[in-house]
Amino acid sequence: RPRFSRRQIGLARELGILIESAQLRIAQAADAERIALYWAIGERLRRHFPSERNQSAIADHLAAQFGPQFRAERLLLMMQLSEKYPIREMGPSLMRKLTWSHFIQLIRIEGPSKRKFYTDRCRVEQLSVGALRKEINAGVYERRVGGCP
C-alpha cells in the first residue's frame, strides 16, 4: 500500500468531498426530474381517464416497455400526485426539496390543509421519509394545529 504525504491525504479528502457533493446533487436532480415526469404522466392520464379507471392497458404497455415503476398502481399514484399538487403548488423548488418517496407518503394524507402542513414540514425542516412517517403516525398536525383537515 503506497504511503501518502499529509498534503496528498488532504487533497484526497478535498476531492472526496467534491465527489460526494456532486453525487448528491446529481441524485437530487435525477429525483426532481423523475417527479416532474411522474407529475406530467399523472396529469395526462387524469385528462384521458378522469375516473382513475381503465388505464390498465396503458399501464401494461408502459410497464412492459419501461419497467415495473409504470404498473397500474404506480400510475394511480402519479395521477394522485398531479391532482393533489397542482403545478402552481408543485414548482421546481418543491421537486428539488422532496423525493418521490416523500410524495408517496404525502399524497396519501387526507385533507389539503393537513397535506400542506406536512409538505411544508418536509420542505422547511428537511424531514427524511422515516421522520415524516413518524410525524404523521404521532399526529403532529393534530397536536399543533388542533386540526380538522
Side-chain angles (χ1 to χ4, degrees), residues 39-40 43 46 78-92 94-95 103 107 112 115-116 119:
W39 189 93
E43 180 67 16
R46 280 183 344 119
M78 294 172 202
M79 292 170 75
Q80 291 169 342
L81 175 70
S82 71
E83 175 189 0
K84 294 180 179 181
Y85 287 91
I87 195 66
R88 69 184 177 280
E89 290 177 27
M90 180 61 85
L94 192 58
M95 285 188 241
F103 282 110
I107 61 178
R115 189 171 33 261
K116 182 178 180 343
T119 301

Side-chain angles (χ1 to χ4, degrees), residues 23-147:
Q23 287 174 331
L24 178 61
R25 288 191 312 274
I26 290 166
Q28 289 170 331
D31 210 45
E33 193 62 34
R34 177 179 13 176
I35 292 164
L37 170 65
Y38 289 177
W39 189 93
I41 289 170
E43 180 67 16
R44 283 168 181 80
L45 287 171
R46 280 183 344 119
R47 272 191 264 136
H48 290 281
F49 304 107
S51 69
E52 295 184 358
R53 291 178 177 35
N54 302 322
Q55 75 268 19
S56 62
I58 193 77
D60 292 343
H61 173 77
L62 292 173
Q65 187 171 359
F66 298 106
Q69 67 269 31
F70 296 101
R71 293 185 316 249
E73 60 273 9
R74 301 296 277 186
L75 294 184
L76 180 57
L77 288 172
M78 294 172 202
M79 292 170 75
Q80 291 169 342
L81 175 70
S82 71
E83 175 189 0
K84 294 180 179 181
Y85 287 91
I87 195 66
R88 69 184 177 280
E89 290 177 27
M90 180 61 85
S93 137
L94 192 58
M95 285 188 241
R96 281 193 306 269
K97 295 251 182 193
L98 305 182
T99 67
W100 175 239
S101 297
H102 282 98
F103 282 110
I104 289 173
Q105 298 301 311
L106 291 165
I107 61 178
R108 292 177 175 150
I109 295 173
E110 292 299 322
S113 61
K114 186 175 181 179
R115 189 171 33 261
K116 182 178 180 343
F117 172 84
Y118 285 112
T119 301
D120 290 344
R121 296 268 309 140
C122 288
R123 186 178 45 78
V124 173
E125 301 295 326
Q126 298 180 343
L127 296 179
S128 68
V129 176
L132 171 61
R133 272 193 220 108
K134 284 180 186 173
E135 287 205 2
I136 293 168
N137 291 337
V140 171
Y141 172 80
E142 289 77 9
R143 287 199 319 259
R144 292 234 178 126
V145 178

Side-chain angles (χ1 to χ4, degrees), residues 2-43:
R3 296 181 62 82
F4 295 108
S5 69
R6 288 179 192 220
R7 189 168 162 211
Q8 289 171 320
I9 290 171
L11 176 61
R13 284 189 183 132
E14 186 180 330
L15 295 176
I17 290 168
L18 285 173
I19 292 166
E20 288 173 354
S21 176
Q23 287 174 331
L24 178 61
R25 288 191 312 274
I26 290 166
Q28 289 170 331
D31 210 45
E33 193 62 34
R34 177 179 13 176
I35 292 164
L37 170 65
Y38 289 177
W39 189 93
I41 289 170
E43 180 67 16

